[in-house]
Amino acid sequence: MGERAFYVTTPIYYPNDVPHIGHAYTTVLADVLARWHRLNGYDVFFLTGTDEHGLKLQRAAEKAGLKPKEFVDRMAPIFKDYWARLDISYDRFIRTTDEDHEEVVKEALSKLYSKGLIYKGVYRGWYCASCEKFYSEGEYEEQDGKKVCPTHKKELEWVEEETYFLKLSEYEDQVLRLVRDTDIVHPRGYAREIVSKLEREGLRDLSIARPKSRVYWGVELPFDDRYVVYVWIDALLNYVTGAGYGKDGGRFEKYWPVVHHVIGKDILWFHTAIWFAVLLMLDIPPPRRVLVHAFIINRGLKMGKSVGNVIMIDDMLERYGSADAVRYLLMRLLNLEKDVEFSFELLDSMYNSELADTYGNLVRRLGVLAKRKLGGVVRRRDLEEEFRDVAVKTVSEVSRLMEEYRISEALVRTFDLLRMANAYLNRTAPWKADDPEPPLYNALEAVRIATSLLHPVLPSVTRKVADALGFSITGVEGSDYGYTEEFRVKEAPILFKKIGSKGG
Ligand code: MSP
């Protein structure tokens, strides 16, 4: 088999503030996909980072009394630190202030300019600096006679200035076809949204420059040094920089065709209409996939600093005690199509019943029994046919669900296998059986398989289980039931401490 490659990206986050669990939701999802593919033999490249230019960051720096570069230099390590604490296995953390990226931005803009795709004009419109986006009539909301941004509910600013436009309108038909007639945008409901917006409003030319007199913090336009590049164009290009565009043709050819952009639904238009058009202009193929998820909401609204309903990553890490538990719970909530309401009550009960009771107790019991009854050595004996069938089916269903990005359902299926192993132990009662080896072997084999399937979500706990029970974690190809000749059980670890009701 030839080498299979997989390239996954997260949005690059604005480092104007520390990340919250909304950002963790996307990043953990991307990490789970990266780990799943690595485990199954793919050559994976996983890119995340920070989106450091533009008016929003310029203002955040001013507010902090720092130069923009000093400000982002302080903030970027905070993102890295959170991702380390959540065990995010990125291969590169890209910053839009990285030199190679700024070069790519300039090269791309020069190419667009020399192709005649950029022209000068005047822009008049209402701008939201928090979104870094202009809003047209019908898009903004009105409150007390003022025009406000529909996301941040902040008053919009009137901007009227000379700028440069990118001729997106020329690409409307091609973009429409990519969104409508291919499977790039997933789930398909999001593709339909973009198609109807394109049919309703068309694809308008985009202002891609900002005069330095207003926005000085950005990559200078290569053909007019009085301007910087619009932050969204700068930001989107991070995905090609990360793959080695213009620098390392081999890497770019390997990874670009298999790029998966994981994004929240708020930035769908940028990642389809605008991004596809820019790629077409640069003669770069469209991404393989744009994987979109809905929001985590709190009290009915998208979490946000300005709304005042954010749950911090620290809140979850403290409450559940480990990166693995937080990752698991976020992935159990994951819903691509629908917003999910955040609730500590719900998460507490999933944590206790699934992680602590089902997985934790099973591993603990098996460890204790294998040591006590068999001195820790459990050899392959009498496979239980029925049990084997369920395990085999679980592996194939979980693989399919993972390929369809239905992570929460994959977890539920895997836990069905663990629940079955618990019931099987109760039924066969190896603690009082004359010959406890067959039931212990069968239950261990189920745990081994479930543990490998859970590894992308629970990277560290699953390693602990594999060490304690004496097996190795494998991809799907090593998940044949009965594959293990002998388990050498070393210990009976406690995986998760149950938490009491803390309210909240
Ligand atoms: N800098 C741009 C992205 C540029 S990518 C070329 C940006 N940054 S952001 O910091 O605002 O992050 C937005 C992303 O964070 C969303 O698309 C989503 O992936 C994630 N989320 C932020 N809040 C969220 C929720 N409440 N729920 C789920 N995801 C959310 O936009």
Side-chain angles (χ1 to χ4, degrees), residues 456-498:
V457 177
L458 300 171
S460 115
V461 155
T462 49
R463 249 179 258 122
K464 189 166 165 182
V465 171
D467 280 350
L469 302 184
F471 62 84
S472 33
I473 288 167
T474 63
V476 166
E477 87 287 352
S479 297
D480 302 342
Y481 193 80
Y483 170 94
T484 316
E485 229 163 87
E486 176 181 283
F487 290 93
R488 286 189 168 267
V489 177
K490 289 208 286 275
E491 50 184 336
I494 293 171
L495 305 183
F496 300 96
K497 284 204 186 74
K498 264 179 107 150

Side-chain angles (χ1 to χ4, degrees), residues 10-16 20-26 51 56 79 130 232 235-239 262-267 271 293-297 301-304:
T10 71
I12 46 171
Y13 303 105
Y14 292 125
N16 60 308
H20 56 66
I21 64 158
H23 307 109
Y25 196 56
T26 314
D51 186 356
K56 180 178 178 119
F79 278 73
S130 293
W232 262 102
L236 286 163
L237 287 165
N238 95 85
Y239 300 132
V262 180
I263 61 164
K265 65 180 183 181
D266 51 337
I267 53 177
H271 281 80
H293 65 70
F295 297 142
I296 303 192
I297 55 175
L301 292 172
K302 182 188 175 212
M303 275 183 203

Side-chain angles (χ1 to χ4, degrees), residues 361-401:
N361 276 353
L362 181 59
V363 167
R364 171 90 183 141
R365 263 167 115 192
L366 271 174
V368 168
L369 284 169
K371 299 258 301 181
R372 192 186 301 150
K373 303 297 273 186
L374 298 166
V377 182
V378 185
R379 288 160 304 158
R380 178 164 51 213
R381 297 267 308 278
D382 315 332
L383 303 188
E384 297 268 354
E385 285 308 319
E386 219 187 296
F387 210 24
R388 194 235 301 270
D389 290 348
V390 175
V392 168
K393 217 163 132 211
T394 304
V395 173
S396 78
E397 279 184 18
V398 168
S399 308
R400 180 180 58 82
L401 290 167

Side-chain angles (χ1 to χ4, degrees), residues 5-6 37 51 79 85 101 113 116 146 161 186 239-240 243 252 257 262 280 282 299 313 336 369 375 409 455 462 474:
F6 182 75
H37 285 86
D51 186 356
F79 278 73
R85 287 163 62 199
H101 176 69
Y113 192 65
K146 288 176 183 155
E161 64 198 14
H186 182 92
Y239 300 132
V240 295
F252 193 72
V262 180
L280 285 162
L282 293 170
R299 301 191 299 271
I313 296 170
L336 301 181
L369 284 169
E409 288 163 80
H455 180 67
T462 49
T474 63

